[in-house]
Amino acid sequence: MNILLVGSGGREHALSWQLAQSPSCAKLYAAPGNPGIEAHAECVAIAADDLDGLIAFVKAHGVDFVVVGPEAPLVAGLADRLGEIGVPAFGPAAAAARLEGSKGFTKDLCARASIPTAAYVRCTSAEEARAVLEGFAIPVVIKADGLAAGKGVIIAETHEDAEAAIDDMFDGAFGSAGAEVVIEEFMTGEEASFFALSDGQHVIAFGSAQDHKRVGDGDVGPNTGGMGAYSPAPVLTADLEAAVMDRIIRPTVATLAAEGTPYVGVLFAGLMLTAEGPKLIEYNCRFGDPECQVLMMRYAGDLAALLHAASTGALTDVAAPAFASDYALTVVMAANGYPATPEKGGIIRGIADAETGGVRIFHAGTARSGDHIIAAGGRVLNVTALGRTVAEAQARAYAAVDRIDFPSGFCRRDIGWREVAREAE
Ligand code: AMP
Ligand code: GLY
């Protein structure tokens, strides 16, 4: 089949690498793609949020199947538009993409389906939110309801900070995303990410990962989209995974199906492993970035066929997904200044030389400038390696990082530290 992949980051480079190897993929296009994706797909200059442009391309080029990387086109209704022209999409319709597009929607769904999550109240004005705040212990979590590029969550350590966050959100700090605010109980525990594929009715587990959200070594400094990740996450034991499927994932899929808004695509559950068991922090309606890179590194099978089965109600017809038993670990190389104001245009050399011994270097925010690859975003490269232990994967990834010449870039030197420490015990 002819496949169009939508997106341009490291997540999409990893997906394109697997899709291009899939026996069931005849021709792969990417919109808009990036210089790394060019090795696996024909890149076409259509932005991921240009729904009209994407639909016109699908019609004109006989595209049979569309895999959507980022959330914005899904929340805007790309899967619905493709459905109208009879083309299956990997990714939910807008009604089900509200799982990521509206935190309040997800919390209400958890309440209806008795899914374990933090206690919460939805608020539509600053006055209401300030009053509601009185009922919560400190620290407390204040969230903008809508999509805020990962920035709409404030963990307030004092009552004053919580009030300030409420005022900022209702004053438009996150645009329309903050027109409604969710106030949540603060949960403690270790975080892990869990992935499941759903065809609307059936759901299968698709692996686990842990990422590092803070910019600095030791998990300090501002939040980012993720500075590195590894998979699987050993803290998510087989028993815990089974509990997550039973108490969180299956009730979500069943409730959405029963309510006439079935969920198709990947469900990315952010989990808090609390003393009372796993609880849902949030859902994303897409693969994580960079979590996808480590999942794809380990995946062994025909990815195009699997994602197509999920998109056509046929998940029960496919074998359970197979993954290498090795760990995969990815280190994000970012441009100096990230996450605030990343420096653009820095030249990167040595990518090909570093890609030896099974290491894969996924392009996240790069561009071509003459013969050079240059930085064109905050997160620039994802240096990804396999190993029998997290420590081995980490050593291989950093050996490759050290071969890359990117003077205007930086990375964390401790990706995987928690697991490396546990392995050493
Ligand atoms: P999100 O943007 O929803 O992924 O939230 C960003 C981060 O905020 C999460 O990865 C958690 O570390 C933290 N967080 C969100 N909600 C809570 C909560 N209710 N309790 C504790 N931490 C939370
Ligand atoms: N790495 C976190 C995310 O993709 O949302």
Side-chain angles (χ1 to χ4, degrees):
M1 59 190 154
N2 297 331
I3 303 176
L4 171 65
L5 171 66
V6 177
S8 61
R11 166 182 52 209
E12 288 77 21
H13 187 182
L15 288 169
S16 75
W17 171 63
Q18 277 286 354
L19 289 171
Q21 295 173 55
S22 298
S24 59
C25 176
K27 168 86 190 173
L28 183 63
Y29 298 101
N34 70 31
I37 295 173
E38 280 169 10
H40 313 294
E42 180 179 333
C43 294
V44 294
I46 306 170
D49 58 0
D50 176 4
L51 271 51
D52 291 338
L54 293 169
I55 296 291
F57 183 86
V58 165
K59 285 187 184 160
H61 291 81
V63 170
D64 303 300
F65 177 41
V66 178
V67 176
V68 187
E71 64 279 12
L74 295 166
V75 172
L78 179 58
D80 307 72
R81 295 275 302 271
L82 289 163
E84 286 162 15
I85 58 168
V87 174
F90 182 75
R98 282 181 294 172
L99 278 187
E100 177 160 2
S102 165
K103 295 192 173 9
F105 172 84
T106 297
K107 298 298 284 189
D108 286 352
L109 182 132
C110 288
R112 289 200 297 287
S114 302
I115 292 168
T117 188
Y120 74 105
V121 178
R122 299 176 75 167
C123 304
T124 52
S125 74
E127 295 68 42
E128 186 189 2
R130 280 165 171 268
V132 161
L133 189 59
E134 304 304 322
F136 282 83
I138 300 292
V140 63
V141 186
I142 315 287
K143 297 186 175 180
D145 181 74
L147 292 185
K151 299 193 177 88
V153 174
I154 306 289
I155 298 179
E157 305 282 351
T158 66
H159 196 270
E160 292 67 41
D161 287 353
E163 291 196 329
I166 287 168
D167 290 344
D168 282 353
M169 287 189 192
F170 284 108
D171 283 346
F174 301 103
S176 59
E180 185 178 328
V181 161
V182 177
I183 302 187
E184 270 184 35
E185 163 204 8
F186 178 77
M187 300 185 285
T188 50
E190 189 165 336
E191 286 182 49
S193 301
F194 182 72
F195 299 84
L197 304 181
S198 170
D199 68 3
Q201 306 292 330
H202 314 105
V203 61
I204 54 174
F206 197 69
S208 65
Q210 278 184 302
D211 77 341
H212 294 266
K213 287 209 172 66
R214 304 299 189 112
V215 75
D217 283 12
D219 294 324
V220 299
N223 256 319
T224 70
M227 294 301 292
Y230 50 95
S231 171
V235 283
L236 216 51
T237 60
D239 283 353
L240 283 177
E241 265 196 36
V244 169
M245 285 295 283
D246 284 347
R247 292 184 212 147
I248 299 178
I249 304 289
R250 283 197 195 92
T252 300
V253 169
T255 303
L256 288 171
E259 294 177 355
T261 53
Y263 190 91
V264 169
V266 58
L267 259 182
F268 163 7
L271 302 170
M272 189 71 84
L273 306 180
T274 74
E276 294 121 57
K279 294 189 182 180
L280 182 71
I281 302 173
E282 58 153 10
Y283 273 130
N284 296 302
C285 65
R286 50 164 177 91
F287 281 112
D289 188 345
E291 291 88 337
C292 185
Q293 289 82 316
V294 283
L295 289 175
M296 289 304 123
M297 198 73 178
R298 297 178 49 236
Y299 179 71
D302 185 325
L303 184 73
L306 178 66
L307 301 189
H308 187 260
S311 309
T312 52
L315 260 192
T316 44
D317 302 340
V318 299
F323 288 94
S325 57
D326 283 0
Y327 290 95
L329 182 141
T330 191
V331 176
V332 171
M333 296 184 81
N336 285 342
Y338 179 74
T341 322
E343 192 178 314
K344 286 205 170 139
I347 294 178
I348 307 158
R349 293 187 179 87
I351 296 176
D353 289 343
E355 213 165 26
T356 54
V359 170
R360 305 281 334 164
I361 296 168
F362 298 115
H363 290 232
T366 67
R368 280 187 200 284
S369 172
D371 292 340
H372 293 300
I373 294 291
I374 59 168
R379 294 185 294 168
V380 177
L381 297 173
N382 310 135
V383 182
T384 317
L386 290 169
R388 278 160 302 162
T389 59
V390 175
E392 187 176 77
Q394 185 197 53
R396 287 178 177 161
Y398 281 113
V401 163
D402 291 338
R403 299 172 82 143
I404 296 174
D405 178 23
F406 179 21
S408 65
F410 73 98
C411 65
R412 278 182 59 163
R413 297 297 313 190
D414 64 345
I415 298 303
W417 66 266
R418 215 181 243 112
E419 213 47 57
V420 170
R422 278 196 279 252
E423 283 175 349
E425 269 168 19

